[in-house]
Amino acid sequence: DFLPQKLAQKHLELGDLYSTNNYLQEAIVEYQKALRHQPHNAEAQTKMDKCLSLNSLNDSDLLQKQIDTLNF
């Protein structure tokens, strides 16, 4: 579908902007949003994994708590 693809792309772009400026937690959230629109988006998954690694957020419970606070 067109809309989920477009939304995923915009979240990817925002994630890239955050990541480039070293706002890794914000980037992770945007990549997660992209994956909610396109669950099999390899680019979003790869970029999120890289940010997770760089930010040492390997504890998925911590990441989930951060995501939950955004009130999706």
Side-chain angles (χ1 to χ4, degrees):
D1 292 324
F2 175 76
L3 186 57
Q5 179 182 1
K6 199 70 166 166
L7 288 169
Q9 184 60 38
K10 292 302 176 186
H11 286 297
L12 264 172
E13 290 171 8
L14 189 52
D16 291 346
L17 180 63
Y18 281 133
S19 178
T20 300
N21 289 288
N22 208 31
Y23 290 97
L24 299 178
Q25 291 180 340
E26 291 84 351
I28 291 165
V29 170
E30 291 304 321
Y31 295 138
Q32 182 69 31
K33 288 179 183 178
L35 288 166
R36 287 186 180 187
H37 293 290
Q38 285 189 313
H40 302 292
N41 186 315
E43 181 181 5
Q45 186 66 55
T46 299
K47 289 179 176 185
M48 186 175 76
D49 290 345
K50 181 179 177 184
C51 286
L52 283 166
S53 178
L54 290 172
N55 205 35
S56 300
L57 285 176
N58 294 321
D59 181 353
S60 62
D61 291 338
L62 177 59
L63 177 59
Q64 189 59 51
K65 287 177 187 174
Q66 291 173 340
I67 291 170
D68 289 345
T69 62
L70 294 177
N71 298 320
F72 292 136

